[in-house]
Amino acid sequence: MMTAQNVQQWLESSLGQYLIEHEYRYYDQVVANIFGYNAVQIGWSQFDFLRLNRMPLRFFVGLESEASLRAEAGFLPIQTNSMDLVILPHTLDFNVNPHQILREVHRILIPEGHLVVSGFNPFSLWGIGRHLKSMRREFPWNGDFIALSRLKDWLKLLDFEMAGGRLCCYAPPFKQEKWRRRLSFMEAAGDRWWPISGGVYFLHAIKHMHGMRIIKPDWKKCLDAKKKMAPIARKIIKVSKQDRSSNNPNQISDLNKSR
């Protein structure tokens, strides 16, 4: 059975440090140029991937002891439309309901908020370990690796727009560092010759909201037009019975003129 201690031991191993080094390299580059007020990292709280971000509030959510807020990634006690940046370092790879996590991320992000995701690529030399009986129970091959194309489809359904990304870790996941060094040329050639076969991918997306524009009547113009309409008073002249019965033609002519 995989425990938190086993996971931490793997992350502290030579192969684990090789992975974390690439993770830091990408997150440091991307989050440093994202501005706002609130940023949160969900998962892997023992690693500060927000260290170069300059937002005033940065905190960590997870079940690790280092987390600022201990909570499940799929049920975040965070206010709706309150976060400018959310990062998910391999959070989707080790959760039974990644769709729920993405829905929660969409909920807490402000419009035009940023999401940065990292995950293991199943179509790579790293993904082969999931199919080997001797490795598939070990971390990280016990996870459910999500294909990059599938993740993009999920994000598009939530109205996220792709803003960037890359792949890394092209060398085979050998535990011995000497073997990884001998194959270090694969890192330099990976982006050029086999760009889709990197062991780890990163994806940067932005949340968009398709809102309505409410058309209101121009009350000011209506009021101005109403002010210009001056009512015309109608002059009403009361004629007594005596005047009506009078045969004075001059008087009758004056009455007609007044009307």
Side-chain angles (χ1 to χ4, degrees):
M1 181 179 179
M2 184 62 59
T3 64
Q5 184 177 0
N6 299 134
V7 174
Q8 188 61 30
Q9 287 177 354
W10 187 90
L11 292 173
E12 292 175 354
S13 67
S14 175
L15 182 58
Q17 291 301 303
Y18 164 79
L19 169 66
I20 297 302
E21 179 183 350
H22 283 82
E23 299 272 339
Y24 271 123
R25 193 176 303 168
Y26 182 81
Y27 280 114
D28 287 349
Q29 179 184 0
V30 174
V31 303
N33 299 318
I34 299 176
F35 302 97
Y37 298 96
N38 305 313
V40 59
Q41 174 180 322
I42 303 175
W44 287 22
S45 303
Q46 63 269 43
F47 305 106
D48 185 5
F49 295 122
L50 290 170
R51 61 184 183 178
L52 293 188
N53 184 261
R54 288 169 278 182
M55 295 188 192
L57 177 61
R58 303 185 303 273
F59 63 100
F60 307 90
V61 173
L63 300 178
E64 303 88 1
S65 58
E66 296 86 356
S68 311
L69 176 63
R70 302 197 69 179
E72 289 282 352
F75 302 95
L76 301 171
I78 300 175
Q79 185 178 357
T80 301
N81 296 333
S82 62
M83 306 306 301
D84 299 278
L85 169 63
V86 176
I87 65 174
L88 300 174
H90 299 278
T91 309
L92 302 177
D93 292 330
F94 302 98
N95 194 285
V96 294
N97 196 349
H99 304 84
Q100 175 62 21
I101 296 176
L102 292 177
R103 284 193 292 266
E104 279 290 271
V105 169
H106 182 273
R107 179 185 65 82
I108 67 174
L109 271 175
I110 65 169
E112 305 304 316
H114 295 258
L115 168 65
V116 186
V117 184
S118 61
F120 291 106
N121 182 11
F123 305 111
S124 66
L125 294 175
W126 288 64
I128 294 176
R130 298 175 59 245
H131 305 286
L132 301 178
K133 188 175 181 181
S134 60
M135 297 177 63
R136 61 188 177 189
R137 292 186 179 182
E138 299 179 5
F139 181 87
W141 294 278
N142 62 337
D144 186 13
F145 297 176
I146 301 171
L148 182 58
S149 58
R150 180 180 298 179
L151 179 58
K152 288 182 177 180
D153 290 339
W154 292 351
L155 292 175
K156 285 180 181 179
L157 290 175
L158 292 172
D159 292 328
F160 279 96
E161 180 182 349
M162 304 306 121
R166 65 156 299 180
L167 287 91
C168 67
C169 300
Y170 291 93
F174 293 130
K175 294 181 180 180
Q176 295 82 6
E177 186 175 357
K178 64 177 182 180
W179 287 106
R180 291 199 309 274
R181 287 181 178 179
R182 290 180 181 179
L183 297 174
S184 60
F185 69 92
M186 297 180 67
E187 294 292 341
D191 286 333
R192 182 175 181 181
W193 298 109
W194 46 87
I196 63 173
S197 61
V200 176
Y201 61 77
F202 300 92
L203 195 62
H204 178 196
I206 299 175
K207 171 185 173 181
H208 287 307
M209 294 293 290
H210 302 286
M212 296 184 297
R213 183 186 174 204
I214 300 176
I215 302 175
K216 297 182 179 180
D218 196 338
W219 298 112
K220 186 177 180 180
K221 289 184 178 179
C222 294
L223 292 174
D224 291 343
K226 192 173 183 180
K227 289 178 181 178
K228 293 178 182 178
M229 296 174 60
I232 301 174
R234 183 178 180 184
K235 187 176 180 181
I236 300 175
I237 301 176
K238 293 183 179 180
V239 182
S240 61
K241 291 181 179 181
Q242 185 177 0
D243 295 333
R244 290 177 183 176
S245 61
S246 175
N247 294 325
N248 189 346
N250 294 330
Q251 187 176 6
I252 295 173
S253 176
D254 293 339
L255 288 173
N256 291 331
K257 290 180 179 179
S258 64
R259 292 179 183 177

